[in-house]
Every structure is written in structure tokens, then in C-alpha cells.
Amino acid sequence: LNTLKMVWTKVLGDDSDVTPMINEENGIPYVYIGTEVDNQGGTGEYTGAAYIYKINGITGETVWQTSESCSTFNGESSDSDQSGGCFGNPVMGKGKISNLVIFSFSMTSGLASGNKVVAYDKDLGTVVWEYNMNIYSYSSPVDFYDSEGHAYLIICDSIGQIHMIDPEATDDND
């Protein structure tokens, strides 16, 4: 910050519309970011990988990386594009779910179909649980907590349905 000189850069597997999430863990800032599926297959419909990264904010080293398969349609012009992948900002768990970082992926069951909310172990990058939706979503999941510290997630889908998820569950929530 003092010199405004670049310290490190990271080339992601595709472009990202997600706001990076920064979380300090044991004195080190980590950057969590996800990508969409947009620049992997040219024109037309295809399936690609939406990548999720945990990056050491001091060194730029990738701590872990994972991906989710998502569908996309790239038209002749951007007016007809319908991209899948990670569009909503992640949730950094607090309290009883402080071991989790949660991302949402659109078009996991084909073009204009399916959405998956996935909770990853922050340290390992492994899937702790996932919640599958029939309809895709470009929304960010939102976390809130009751007076006893129990966590809940809300996410809306593309046809106006509101989903409430129990992120403390450790198995599939469908």
C-alpha cells in the first residue's frame, strides 16, 4: 500500500464477477474467489469448470483450488450469452460455522437449470455439504444468526423462490 507497487498477481481459470472475500486466519489474510464459466469453450453451449481459490494474501500462493462443473451458452454477441458458474459473493462462516466458506454455482444441471450451494472446509478446500436447487441463481447467499448463534442462509433463485438453508448440517440438504 505504501509504494503502490504490485506484490503478486494470480491468473484465474476464467473471468470472475465475484467480489473477492478476504479473511484473516492466524494473522495471515487469505483471499477467497470464484470464477464463472465464460472463456473456456468458444461460441455455443458447453460445460466447463467454475474455479474456487483460497490464496495467501501475502505471498499469492494458492492454498487450495477446487472446481464445479457448470454449463454456459456463449452467443455470437454478448446479448445472447447465458453464463454459468460462480456469480454470487461467498459467505465466510462465523460462530458455529466458522470453519466454512460457502459459494453458489449456477447452471449445474445444464443450461438455465440447477444451482448448487457448496460449503467448503476453509483449511482443506474439501466439500462439507452441498444444497442442490432445481432452478439456477445469480444471487449471493446471505448468512444470518439467531440469538443462540445458530447460522442460516438465504438464497433466491431466478424464478423468485427463496431458499433457507441450515449451514450447520453436515450432509446433503436437498
Side-chain angles (χ1 to χ4, degrees):
L1 277 175
N2 294 329
T3 64
L4 297 179
K5 292 184 180 176
M6 188 179 317
V7 176
W8 58 265
T9 63
K10 178 72 178 168
V11 176
L12 305 177
D14 208 320
D15 69 323
S16 179
D17 292 346
V18 173
T19 301
M21 171 78 65
I22 299 174
N23 191 55
E24 185 178 327
E25 301 164 26
N26 299 318
I28 299 172
Y30 290 96
V31 178
Y32 294 85
I33 190 158
T35 71
E36 62 182 281
V37 177
D38 187 32
N39 297 314
Q40 298 172 35
T43 304
E45 184 177 342
Y46 64 91
T47 300
Y51 297 99
I52 301 295
Y53 300 89
K54 178 180 181 177
I55 303 166
N56 182 309
I58 295 173
T59 66
E61 170 196 2
T62 299
V63 177
W64 55 258
Q65 173 187 335
T66 188
S67 66
E68 188 69 41
S69 180
C70 298
S71 295
T72 282
F73 178 82
N74 283 335
E76 295 294 329
S77 71
S78 61
D79 294 340
S80 61
D81 288 355
Q82 190 169 18
S83 297
C86 193
F87 286 90
N89 297 329
V91 166
M92 186 58 59
K94 300 170 209 59
K96 295 183 182 198
I97 63 165
S98 62
N99 63 315
L100 302 178
V101 61
I102 302 166
F103 284 85
S104 176
F105 299 91
S106 66
M107 302 197 204
T108 55
S109 299
L111 195 60
S113 177
N115 198 78
K116 194 179 282 188
V117 179
V118 181
Y120 297 97
D121 179 287
K122 286 189 322 189
D123 294 330
L124 305 173
T126 55
V127 173
V128 175
W129 58 257
E130 59 185 46
Y131 175 83
N132 291 289
M133 300 159 53
N134 292 328
I135 306 299
Y136 73 95
S137 174
Y138 290 146
S139 297
S140 300
V142 176
D143 58 330
F144 64 97
Y145 302 81
D146 68 16
S147 61
E148 296 175 359
H150 295 286
Y152 301 91
L153 291 177
I154 296 286
I155 186 168
C156 299
D157 63 31
S158 61
I159 62 171
Q161 297 180 98
I162 300 171
H163 300 255
M164 187 164 87
I165 304 166
D166 177 1
E168 292 178 40
T170 57
D171 56 2
D172 194 286
N173 286 286
D174 317 69

